[in-house]
Amino acid sequence: MGYIGKRSAQPIILGALKRLEYRGYDSCGFAVLSNGKIEVFKERGSIDELEKALSGVNVGGTVGVGHTRWATHGEPSRRNAHPHTDCKGDIAVVHNGIIENFQHLRETLAAEGHVFRSDTDTEVVAHLVERYYNGNLEEAVRRALHEVKGSYALAILHKADEKIVAARSRSPLVLGVGDSEFFVASDVPALLEHTNRVVHLEDGDLVIITREGFRIENGGNVVPRKMETVLWSIEDAERGGYEHFMLKEIHETPRVIENTLATHLRDGVLGGVDLDLDVPQSSEILMVACGTSFHAALVGKYVIEELASVPVRVELASEFNYATTPLSRETLVVGITQSGETADTLSALKRAKAAGCATLAITNVLGSSVTRLADRIIYTRAGPEICVAATKTFTAQLITLYLLALHFSSIELAERQKMLKELRRLPTAVQRVLDAEDEIKEVSGRITSYENVFFIGRGISFPVALEGALKLKEISYIHAEGYAAGELKHGPFALLTEETPVVAVVAPDRTYDIMLNNIKEVKARKPPVIAVADEHDEEIEKYVDFVIRTSHVEPIFSAITNSVALQLLAYYAAKERGCEIDKPRNLAKSVTVE
Ligand code: G6P
């Protein structure tokens, strides 16, 4: 967030940051230009805590930038909170995104004598601007950004200039236009209290903002950008215009996949995957998790066994903690938890450590409890998830598990490269599933009036079916069960009638023919059958009543595209039933009791 105008910057920035707290909440800070000096204030925790620390003091100044952080590089702490400054404290930078080549830049700058005071990727930007500053801030920022790879929305101040220089690349940034005052922010809700006239900046845009006006450049040329009037309320705007956080978060999936890949794929690293992990000497991997993360683990088992030929056992953390199953020290125990706080998963990892096993955690939250417990951590990069039902974090976990499988795998180079290429194609494939959401919405209408739905799948599609059923039941309150397709005849067949829809997840893999047989058996009992199937599958229509088509990907990656389709199916079913969606009854996002 940035402000330049005639009013005092501090209360405007802090008020705006409160509106952005849903994007980040582990630490925050701001910088203002006051009497020719940059004054920086930061705190771990919420904006309220920062305000408490300021105890009513307004540091003055009418130009400033601020930030609310959701840690990605470096634990949540005061020193890692933004703004970050250069060596002399003349330049202040706030940043949303990931500087992918920060390690290299940091080493180069440190060798030139720059002293770093945080663990963040962002700090390199402050030092780069310092390196190039020669009396002209925008010129220094231009040159600095030339060296930066990654995603960013940046707002930058220099003590000698009453201006803000902001830039955007693959992270949202919007300019707010008031009367002789201007705002820049990652999202519209930050501005709406002050203005509804906005300019959405585009990738590559650099904007120089003074009290007199602004100039937007792209590739060195001044470019025109349209001013728009926002008609949303602040609450609508927080959800980016989506009716629910769940829908917004599902729509963030392509970016989440990109971010997670950008963090863990590296040119020049053996095999392309850079997880900073030894390939285990372990004879076995044991995964422990709860809820949606447990389903991710089940997909992970399939993928790791297929690509790396290491046997994988998956246990519900809550069961594992009371089991007497012997644990061998040779077992690598992997805890999967998006929040990093689930009590059962933490206990399971403690039990594993006590037994002398190596532990690895996959989590979405930097500095969460699990990060202090496990020997090694791999972060997913999904950003904060507000809706109780996990969606984008599940996909990020799957991506991480594919990477883990490739990391452990000794498949041939050509095959590995093919897999990496497919992974990189996934954001586009998922986007195509999202683009077809109207069709999914229509199909969801076929299940909303029923009270029981079965989801079936085989192989990798079995956990996808489990997760599809979980999503549906938790947000639409329709009773849904996920089943291995071959198991239906061992019990659930007794329940199949015209009133019991069955959703069949069909991947074009070695389970395909037998899956068609299972669908035929189901159909004979009259339930309406909906298939989730590959767009190139020409057979499936003959077997089922409705088909949700998903983009063609290598079958092993169909877990991603099919899960996103099932998330949308659950969402639209819940919406049609008038459910609350983001906060389902009786459920919590983070379950910190056993
Ligand atoms: C709760 C949430 C689920 C989540 C589960 C495990 O039940 O509502 O969405 O899958 O906890 O959470 P974790 O943070 O460990 O992945």
Side-chain angles (χ1 to χ4, degrees):
M1 164 71 195
Y3 172 78
I4 179 162
K6 299 209 163 95
R7 293 189 281 161
S8 176
Q10 179 182 320
I12 293 173
I13 289 171
L14 292 181
L17 291 183
K18 281 190 187 162
R19 293 285 175 199
L20 294 178
E21 257 186 324
Y22 74 92
R23 302 176 68 92
Y25 37 71
D26 56 47
S27 51
C28 56
F30 70 95
V32 286
L33 188 54
S34 176
N35 300 323
K37 268 179 70 190
I38 299 272
E39 304 273 7
V40 179
F41 298 85
K42 332 198 232 191
E43 209 52 61
R44 185 179 170 158
S46 65
I47 315 294
D48 282 347
E49 272 150 274
L50 177 61
E51 279 183 330
K52 238 185 269 159
L54 286 159
S55 52
V57 174
N58 183 338
V59 283
T62 52
V63 188
V65 294
H67 186 265
T68 177
R69 179 167 187 249
W70 189 85
T72 64
H73 289 70
E75 57 166 16
S77 64
R78 194 166 178 278
R79 70 187 216 105
N80 286 332
H82 300 210
H84 291 287
T85 53
D86 62 322
C87 297
K88 297 194 285 290
D90 293 350
I91 296 159
V93 175
V94 291
H95 165 224
N96 174 33
I98 296 175
I99 309 292
E100 287 161 22
N101 59 339
F102 88 99
Q103 196 58 44
H104 165 74
L105 290 172
R106 188 175 168 124
E107 281 159 21
T108 319
L109 287 157
E112 289 170 17
H114 291 260
V115 178
F116 283 80
R117 283 166 299 197
S118 78
D119 312 314
T120 63
D121 52 334
T122 303
E123 195 183 344
V124 298
V125 178
H127 292 280
L128 273 178
V129 175
E130 178 182 31
R131 180 206 264 170
Y132 292 118
Y133 186 78
N134 199 359
N136 180 329
L137 181 60
E138 55 268 35
E139 180 54 22
V141 174
R142 256 181 234 123
R143 293 184 66 187
L145 292 183
H146 220 71
E147 309 211 0
V148 164
K149 271 203 223 158
S151 57
Y152 51 77
L154 286 161
I156 304 174
L157 294 181
H158 190 286
K159 72 167 192 187
D161 277 309
E162 297 267 321
K163 64 168 75 148
I164 296 173
V165 177
R168 169 192 162 137
S169 175
R170 288 161 45 214
S171 286
L173 192 61
V174 54
L175 181 74
V177 181
D179 289 334
S180 306
E181 59 180 3
F182 300 90
F183 311 80
V184 64
S186 285
D187 206 351
V188 174
L191 320 172
L192 278 185
E193 205 179 319
H194 306 288
T195 181
N196 63 358
R197 288 187 298 154
V198 303
V199 179
H200 289 278
L201 297 172
E202 294 182 15
D203 282 346
D205 281 357
L206 183 95
V207 53
I208 301 113
I209 316 164
T210 64
R211 281 188 195 84
E212 284 67 53
F214 61 88
R215 187 173 85 239
I216 303 173
E217 301 177 354
N218 196 313
N221 304 314
V222 174
V223 286
R225 294 276 178 255
K226 218 170 76 211
M227 177 118 63
E228 289 167 88
T229 305
V230 179
L231 300 172
W232 298 334
S233 68
I234 291 181
E235 289 69 30
D236 287 343
E238 278 177 354
R239 292 187 300 268
Y242 289 101
E243 200 174 334
H244 296 97
F245 276 108
M246 180 176 182
L247 191 59
K248 175 174 183 252
E249 287 159 1
I250 296 172
H251 276 263
E252 283 168 2
T253 306
R255 280 303 321 280
V256 164
I257 299 176
E258 266 177 32
N259 280 346
T260 305
L261 291 177
T263 307
H264 300 302
L265 289 184
R266 292 266 180 287
D267 293 339
V269 166
L270 193 67
V273 183
D274 183 13
L275 294 179
D276 186 25
L277 269 185
D278 303 330
V279 174
Q281 303 308 311
S282 329
S283 47
E284 180 198 51
I285 295 174
L286 167 65
M287 296 199 188
V288 286
C290 302
T292 292
S293 297
F294 173 71
H295 296 150
L298 290 173
V299 175
K301 168 185 166 68
Y302 185 95
V303 174
I304 294 172
E305 289 183 345
E306 169 104 4
L307 296 178
S309 305
V310 183
V312 181
R313 204 152 47 98
V314 181
E315 303 263 4
L316 285 164
S318 53
E319 283 300 307
F320 174 75
N321 293 333
Y322 293 90
T324 48
T325 329
L327 258 184
S328 139
R329 291 170 72 92
E330 263 72 77
T331 303
L332 170 69
V333 179
V334 182
I336 307 182
T337 164
Q338 74 81 20
S339 64
E341 301 296 346
T342 301
D344 281 318
T345 310
L346 297 177
S347 300
L349 285 172
K350 277 184 206 149
R351 183 180 163 212
K353 279 191 93 162
C357 302
T359 54
L360 165 69
I362 298 177
T363 186
N364 196 43
V365 182
L366 215 103
S368 57
S369 301
V370 81
T371 64
R372 293 190 289 277
L373 186 64
D375 303 325
R376 290 301 183 94
I377 317 293
I378 306 177
Y379 289 105
T380 53
R381 298 288 189 205
E385 191 173 64
I386 308 296
C387 176
V388 166
T391 54
K392 62 173 179 169
T393 54
F394 172 71
T395 311
Q397 288 169 342
L398 297 191
I399 294 291
T400 309
L401 288 162
Y402 285 106
L403 293 174
L404 191 64
L406 283 172
H407 185 74
F408 290 162
S409 159
S410 48
I411 54 170
E412 284 184 8
L413 193 64
E415 179 66 8
R416 172 181 292 276
Q417 274 165 351
K418 187 173 145 208
M419 298 298 264
L420 291 175
K421 200 167 146 207
E422 273 292 293
L423 271 171
R424 289 199 174 94
R425 227 171 50 80
L426 283 176
T428 317
V430 169
Q431 189 57 53
R432 287 181 51 225
V433 176
L434 298 173
D435 292 345
E437 79 183 304
D438 283 347
E439 288 152 40
I440 300 176
K441 185 176 173 182
E442 210 180 304
V443 175
S444 75
R446 311 287 170 182
I447 55 173
T448 42
S449 59
Y450 297 105
E451 288 311 314
N452 299 287
V453 180
F454 280 94
F455 285 69
I456 57 171
R458 275 179 173 266
I460 200 167
S461 302
F462 170 40
V464 173
L466 290 176
E467 176 58 12
L470 177 62
K471 277 296 83 87
L472 185 70
K473 81 179 97 179
E474 67 181 331
I475 61 164
S476 76
Y477 312 145
I478 297 173
H479 169 235
E481 276 191 64
Y483 244 85
E487 278 291 304
L488 274 194
K489 48 184 165 294
H490 298 294
F493 262 25
L495 298 173
L496 295 187
T497 68
E498 291 101 327
E499 299 290 307
T500 332
V502 175
V503 178
V505 187
V506 189
D509 60 14
R510 60 177 175 272
T511 67
Y512 183 77
D513 291 336
I514 187 72
M515 189 66 196
L516 289 188
N517 278 344
N518 293 144
I519 292 174
K520 260 201 265 173
E521 295 163 2
V522 168
K523 248 344 272 166
R525 273 89 196 163
K526 305 268 186 298
V529 179
I530 297 163
V532 179
D534 188 288
E535 61 188 333
H536 295 160
D537 185 338
E538 286 168 7
E539 277 296 291
I540 192 72
E541 242 132 10
K542 300 177 199 151
Y543 292 78
V544 302
D545 303 292
F546 309 101
V547 187
I548 294 173
R549 296 279 176 191
T550 53
S551 330
H552 176 70
V553 289
E554 278 294 307
I556 200 167
F557 296 117
S558 65
I560 302 264
T561 44
N562 290 344
S563 300
V564 171
L566 291 177
Q567 291 166 358
L568 289 170
L569 184 75
Y571 173 80
Y572 283 110
K575 191 174 160 202
E576 200 170 311
R577 285 167 66 101
C579 299
E580 238 192 311
I581 301 190
D582 283 336
K583 290 197 179 104
R585 67 181 177 219
N586 304 336
L587 298 180
K589 180 96 194 135
S590 201
V591 181
T592 52
V593 287
E594 286 193 7

